[in-house]
Amino acid sequence: MTLPDREPAEPPGSAGFPRPAPAALPLDLGPGGAAGPSAGKPSSRASSRAKPPRLPEAALPLDLGPPSPGPGPGVRTPSRAQAAPSASAPTAPAEAIASAPLPDADPSAGPAVASADANASADANASADANASADAKPAAKKKRAAKPKGAREPAAELPVARVCVDLPLPHLDRPFDYLVPSDLADTAVVGGRVRVRFAGQLVDGFVLDRVETSDHTGRLAYLERALSAEPVLSPEIARLARAVADRSAGTLADVLRLAIPPRHARAESGARRGGGVLPVDAEGRSRPQTDGFGRYRAGPGYLRALADGGSPRAVLAALPGEDWPRRLAEAVAATLASGRGAVTVVPDARDLERLDTALADVLGPGRHTTLAASLGPEERYRRWLAVRRGEVLAVAGTRATAFAPVHDLGLAVIWDDGDDLHAEPRAPYCHAREVLLVRSQLAGAGLLVGGFARTAEAQLLLETGWAKPLEADREVVRAAAPRVVPVGDDRDLAADPSASAARLPTVAWRAAREALAAESPVLVQVPRRGYVPSVACGRCRQPARCTVCAGPLELRGRHDGPGAGRGDGEVPACRWCGHLAGGWTCPECGNRGLRASVLGARRTAEELGRAFPGITVRTSGRDGVLTTVGPGPALVIATPGAEPVAEGGYGALLLLDTWAMLTRADLRASEEALRRWSNAVALVRPARAGGRVVITADGAIPTVQALLRWDPGWHAGRELADRAELGFPPVTRIASVTGTPDAVADLLRLADLPDEAEILGPVPVESRTGAGDEELERALVRCPRSLGGALAAALRAAASVRSAHKAPNPVRIEVDPLELL
């Protein structure tokens, strides 16, 4: 297996979980641009003045990476003639997490700081000069030379503010200098929101720093307004946002838009303590309970290290049936016992609700808060402010919570990191796991990556020694796991010849009947909702294809209700060309009957309801997700990810249509299938309590084998080795470049890629917006993981050039996207 052979040095710690040694890993900002448009002029007449001289730029204290080459322009109206950051500017490569600890902060380095030039005050008397007569009296001339009424004076102390302007243009991704007027000296605080004039428009921004002087010798524009004196952007989050933007070829403004919620004036002007949250103090602190982690090797030592102020990093392989919200709450409690804060990120609102209950039970009321979009803008901002002000040290939420400004961070937790809900769909398309990895290193905090399954990214952390495993012994695993029975191998077909074509094999039907007879609920997982999308031969299950174009056949109208079907006069038709295939015959076995390739949750519920009359049937999916179900007999039909928690656990689980997930055209198909199956199996009672799982798949498939043995680490190791052999992430770094053919070609031409980079494609892709008339292509750029920073910097520099030249068609850049195939 090809992996980086360099492992990070582990500093001293306790219980085998050392405190990470922050290594100085360069996180390039990329070329900051030798020249480019900058902030807007204060008035329309200012553009007629001569451009100020260009001087070397200063470094931003809150940033990471080396200063970008090139001088900084003054504040002028952007024009096409201005040059953009050079795509060929030198960049420093970023090391991989596989070979060294994640990047540490370098306060002495930062991006170039562009100056803000204000010429408005020099032209303030232009109209008065035009109306003056040639024989004006000396007194009139002296009056004109006096300071205009209402002129602004710079602040007496730290009169220069360095502002991150909220603009998404790559070539403007750098701070700009503005003068702080005396009337805003107390409200224009570092980290506060301001409004500035940029290219003739008022735009929002954040004050990154205030200094005595600017490197620019021309005049600077004044801040127009300070929105509030609340320092919402902390230095730690500013550094984190810069590092995330550099790793994902994005802009600082895009990351800050994700990290800081919109301002709500009423919430900000309210009481200092928001959302009923109590401060965490020294009263009542006790040693955290370690009984829950006692089933895992090194589990108690991990909690002790957190309670003692250490920063251990671990990957948790949760046992079947584990009360994972309580385990996470125990780790948070251990961190709070050391006087530090903790951030916990979960995939969705259902998981957050369970975690909220566990945190309240373990920590006590008022010792934590949650952040979720369902709270509404005012309440969410009020709770976020409580975290920013240090009124609460424990916060939990979904992916945006990875940026929560917790004071003195001691632990970052992410649960089920393989869930695609952790991936941000907006630029710069960062993943919550990567954000927490970077933040853990920058803050010197501990890390816990947990789940019932394990991703290849988590396995890489273990194989490189960056994190330690938290696993249980095999005897403990066998005692906690239900019995898993595969259906689909030769022995099963010999015993039940109809098993390959039956919707519900005999083994699955028997397991469901026994569980219902024992007054236990039965969970049925199907990979689709609704009715039949396509059909296959009713005897051999060969997909039904059109004889004209080989497209898939469908029974139109069948998805509209349970009463439709071929027997009701429906004729199979091609989904591609529309050809009617009334005389279709299976080319393999000669059968004329058709059946659904994959039946959805509602159709499955109807069939099982007829098979088990008198039993309550409930569905959980997109139309309505159930949170919990009672302990009585019931059939629960759910799509993956929507399985409700049963009181006391399910008596049986049926995993149907498993091939639909295993055969997806996706790099992560097997990993995702095992993750979804494992999350469902974890809801079933142990085998000693009668818990049983029936999976309609061949037991010889490695993914099914990992489920039978409950060995996610073995499967993740195989997956990582396969990706290393094929050159796929996380062993390598891959950037996806999507846009029109001309735009993709233009960006790749401008990008000064590393010599080891390899371009795959471009190939045609479908539009994400569904616009069929838009022709799009995608190219993949692959390089060794150690050159990921250089790759991101090169692509961002090329995007800056196109942005400065006002290229008509944008290009979407994603680093290590979830979907590659």
Side-chain angles (χ1 to χ4, degrees):
M1 179 174 64
T2 305
L3 285 173
D5 56 359
R6 178 184 172 191
E7 296 186 2
E10 298 288 349
S14 59
F17 287 91
R19 182 188 300 271
L25 176 63
L27 279 180
D28 285 351
L29 300 178
S38 55
K41 59 184 181 180
S43 68
S44 59
R45 287 171 296 184
S47 60
S48 62
R49 296 180 58 84
K51 298 180 181 179
R54 306 166 104 182
L55 295 178
E57 300 167 346
L60 176 63
L62 300 182
D63 251 317
L64 300 172
S68 303
V75 175
R76 301 179 295 277
T77 303
S79 65
R80 287 180 176 268
Q82 290 173 319
S86 172
S88 60
T91 60
E95 298 182 27
I97 186 176
S99 59
L102 286 174
D104 199 357
D106 184 5
S108 64
V113 178
S115 302
D117 180 23
N119 297 316
S121 58
D123 295 332
N125 299 314
S127 59
D129 291 338
N131 297 327
S133 60
D135 55 348
K137 296 180 180 180
K141 292 182 180 179
K142 186 175 296 184
K143 184 178 181 180
R144 285 196 302 270
K147 187 178 300 182
K149 184 179 181 180
R152 310 182 82 178
E153 289 283 349
E157 297 181 359
L158 305 178
V160 178
R162 288 175 176 167
V163 179
C164 171
V165 183
D166 188 8
L167 292 173
L169 301 177
H171 68 287
L172 300 179
D173 183 28
R174 56 186 183 273
F176 294 88
D177 283 359
Y178 285 86
L179 280 178
V180 180
S182 57
D183 57 328
L184 299 182
D186 297 330
T187 55
V189 297
V190 175
R193 305 177 196 256
V194 294
R195 300 210 79 188
V196 298
R197 190 165 295 279
F198 197 101
Q201 298 180 351
L202 287 176
V203 295
D204 294 335
F206 295 96
V207 178
L208 299 177
D209 194 16
R210 283 184 58 175
V211 295
E212 287 288 350
T213 59
S214 172
D215 291 334
H216 180 60
T217 56
R219 294 178 179 175
L220 302 179
Y222 280 96
L223 299 177
E224 292 290 331
R225 180 184 175 192
L227 299 181
S228 75
E230 188 78 39
V232 293
L233 178 59
S234 66
E236 182 211 352
I237 299 303
R239 293 169 55 201
L240 173 64
R242 181 72 267 174
V244 171
D246 293 341
R247 289 174 69 91
S248 41
T251 64
L252 178 61
D254 284 338
V255 180
L256 292 181
R257 205 173 295 119
L258 303 176
I260 302 178
R263 178 174 180 260
H264 198 285
R266 185 166 56 185
E268 195 171 90
S269 60
R272 292 288 298 177
R273 183 169 298 166
V277 178
L278 299 176
V280 176
D281 52 27
E283 298 179 3
R285 285 181 184 161
S286 60
R287 300 293 295 184
Q289 297 294 325
T290 60
D291 296 343
F293 275 83
R295 297 192 296 172
Y296 301 93
R297 295 190 299 268
Y302 179 79
L303 292 189
R304 286 195 300 270
L306 289 174
D308 293 339
S311 302
R313 300 171 300 209
V315 176
L316 172 65
L319 288 167
E322 179 65 276
D323 186 5
W324 63 265
R326 191 169 185 87
R327 299 292 85 77
L328 301 189
E330 291 170 354
V332 171
T335 307
L336 265 61
S338 67
R340 298 174 298 166
V343 170
T344 306
V345 179
V346 294
D348 54 35
R350 288 198 312 146
D351 293 333
L352 181 58
E353 182 180 354
R354 296 181 61 189
L355 180 60
D356 184 24
T357 303
L359 287 170
D361 185 43
V362 174
L363 303 179
R367 299 285 176 174
H368 78 285
T369 191
T370 58
L371 300 177
S374 59
L375 296 172
E378 181 178 357
E379 179 62 21
R380 182 171 182 265
Y381 188 56
R382 180 180 290 110
R383 296 190 182 190
W384 186 90
L385 281 179
V387 177
R388 175 66 185 95
R389 293 166 177 172
E391 297 168 5
V392 61
L393 293 181
V395 58
T398 50
R399 59 175 178 260
T401 309
F403 294 98
V406 173
H407 288 212
D408 192 13
L409 183 67
L411 177 66
V413 183
I414 184 170
W415 174 257
D416 198 9
D417 64 303
D419 197 314
D420 57 2
L421 292 177
H422 285 302
E424 178 59 51
R426 297 169 294 179
Y429 316 106
C430 51
H431 195 284
R433 178 187 56 240
E434 302 303 319
V435 175
L436 292 180
L437 289 175
V438 174
R439 187 173 185 183
S440 171
Q441 180 64 30
L442 290 177
L447 179 73
L448 181 61
V449 179
F452 292 113
R454 183 180 295 171
T455 60
E457 287 79 6
Q459 182 68 20
L460 182 63
L461 299 180
L462 297 177
E463 294 193 4
T464 57
W466 198 84
K468 305 295 182 182
L470 288 179
E471 299 173 325
D473 294 329
R474 294 307 303 172
E475 294 78 7
V476 179
V477 172
R478 284 191 288 268
R483 180 188 176 193
V484 182
V485 179
V487 178
D489 55 14
D490 294 339
R491 184 180 61 181
D492 297 327
L493 296 179
D496 184 7
S498 62
S500 63
R503 172 64 175 162
L504 195 65
T506 304
V507 175
W509 182 84
R510 187 182 300 116
R513 184 187 62 180
E514 293 175 356
L516 293 173
E519 301 294 317
S520 301
V522 175
L523 176 62
V524 182
Q525 185 193 76
V526 292
R528 290 179 183 265
R529 62 178 296 276
Y531 285 82
V532 54
S534 61
V535 291
C537 174
R539 178 184 299 170
C540 67
R541 305 187 95 174
Q542 180 74 14
R545 295 287 181 179
C546 175
T547 57
V548 176
C549 69
L553 298 183
E554 67 176 351
L555 296 178
R556 293 178 177 172
R558 184 138 182 197
H559 59 278
D560 296 329
R566 192 172 183 181
D568 296 324
E570 292 294 331
V571 178
C574 178
R575 295 170 59 187
W576 290 359
C577 67
H579 173 73
L580 298 179
W584 180 88
T585 302
C586 179
E588 296 293 329
C589 65
N591 181 50
R592 291 176 54 84
L594 293 171
R595 57 163 289 135
S597 294
V598 180
L599 289 176
R602 287 180 293 175
R603 182 66 175 177
T604 302
E606 293 167 2
E607 291 189 356
L608 293 180
R610 290 191 295 266
F612 298 95
I615 300 298
T616 302
V617 180
R618 308 183 67 180
T619 61
S620 180
R622 189 176 67 179
D623 293 339
V625 178
L626 301 176
T627 303
T628 58
V629 294
L635 286 169
V636 181
I637 319 299
T639 52
E643 302 90 351
V645 178
E647 183 179 344
Y650 289 98
L653 166 65
L654 311 181
L655 299 173
L656 305 181
D657 300 326
T658 54
W659 62 269
M661 288 193 286
L662 286 173
T663 58
R664 290 188 308 119
D666 188 358
L667 174 66
R668 305 175 185 268
S670 60
E671 179 182 282
E672 178 69 6
L674 180 60
R675 186 187 70 83
R676 292 184 178 274
W677 296 342
S678 299
N679 288 345
V681 172
L683 302 175
V684 184
R685 300 170 182 172
R688 65 175 182 270
R692 194 173 182 183
V693 177
V694 178
I695 178 171
T696 57
D698 189 352
I701 300 175
T703 308
V704 181
Q705 275 289 314
L707 186 69
L708 296 178
R709 298 157 44 192
W710 195 264
D711 195 351
W714 171 78
H715 184 269
R718 285 178 54 97
E719 186 76 11
L720 184 62
D722 292 342
R723 295 192 195 178
E725 184 177 356
L726 297 174
F728 284 130
V731 181
T732 61
R733 301 294 299 275
I734 289 185
S736 171
V737 180
T738 307
T740 61
D742 292 341
V744 171
D746 185 38
L747 185 135
L748 294 179
R749 177 183 59 84
L750 294 172
D752 185 18
L753 300 173
D755 295 336
E756 295 84 350
E758 177 185 7
I759 299 178
L760 309 176
V763 296
V765 294
E766 296 181 359
S767 173
R768 293 177 180 263
T769 60
D773 56 346
E774 186 179 15
E775 181 183 359
L776 296 180
E777 287 186 350
R778 184 180 70 170
L780 299 178
V781 185
R782 178 171 60 186
C783 72
R785 188 172 182 86
S786 60
L787 297 178
L791 173 63
L795 293 177
R796 189 182 61 175
S800 299
V801 174
R802 300 189 74 252
S803 173
H805 293 169
K806 298 183 179 180
N809 297 315
V811 175
R812 179 188 180 109
I813 301 175
E814 297 180 71
V815 178
D816 290 342
L818 289 180
E819 297 181 2
L820 284 178
L821 304 180

